Amino acid sequence: MTSLRWNFLMLVALGLLAVMRVVAGSAPVALPSEEFQPRLNFSVYQPSISRDPFLKPGTVLSSAGLKTADVTLFHLDGFLGSTNNPTAIINGMVLNLNKPVLLETERGSIQVKAVKITLKGVTLEVAGKLVEVQREQ
């Protein structure tokens, strides 16, 4: 059985070498320049509002509309991971340390970043301000 596999693999390898020799021996065909003259039209689109192409349409990343970072917007659902790699679940979203996440709240989508995760709670950075979300007792 193994000699049959070996013979098959050798035939495949020899076939690939033969194909490579044929391809390497052929020269590319160049088109005469008078036959192909592309006409390029440059885009003149000027967006009125810039957006991140990786987000859903209509999502607002800036948290500038928040006058204060309100702790009532966030609910600590639980914890995952270990003490070396803590992870928190807030408003149904998983937050790792120092990785920005877009959270859905009553006021819309807000970008937050967990800067400290302990068993007592999570410290979030929201619009440049720190917010402490604690476990419910």
Side-chain angles (χ1 to χ4, degrees):
M1 187 73 161
T2 57
S3 65
L4 184 61
R5 285 186 187 169
W6 178 253
N7 289 339
F8 177 74
L9 290 175
M10 289 301 291
L11 284 174
V12 170
L14 289 174
L16 287 175
L17 286 175
V19 169
M20 289 174 61
R21 283 187 191 155
V22 170
V23 171
S26 63
V29 178
L31 292 174
S33 62
E34 62 270 358
E35 285 185 29
F36 181 69
Q37 294 180 355
R39 294 176 55 186
L40 300 177
N41 297 326
F42 293 102
S43 173
V44 293
Y45 175 70
Q46 295 292 328
S48 58
I49 300 173
S50 63
R51 69 174 192 87
D52 189 343
F54 298 104
L55 296 176
K56 295 181 208 172
T59 301
V60 179
L61 260 185
S62 85
S63 301
L66 291 175
K67 300 293 183 206
T68 61
D70 190 7
V71 73
T72 61
L73 293 175
F74 309 107
H75 181 264
L76 180 59
D77 297 326
F79 296 99
L80 293 172
S82 63
T83 55
N84 296 337
N85 188 15
T87 303
I89 303 171
I90 296 184
N91 292 8
M93 292 292 293
V94 176
L95 275 79
N96 293 317
L97 281 175
N98 299 316
K99 292 188 181 175
V101 174
L102 209 58
L103 288 181
E104 295 294 328
T105 66
E106 305 91 51
R107 295 187 190 172
S109 299
I110 301 173
Q111 185 176 10
V112 300
K113 180 171 62 171
V115 293
K116 183 179 177 184
I117 299 175
T118 63
L119 292 178
K120 291 182 180 180
V122 179
T123 304
L124 300 175
E125 182 180 326
V126 183
K129 298 177 182 168
L130 297 179
V131 176
E132 180 74 29
V133 181
Q134 296 184 353
R135 290 174 43 178
E136 295 178 6
Q137 303 295 340

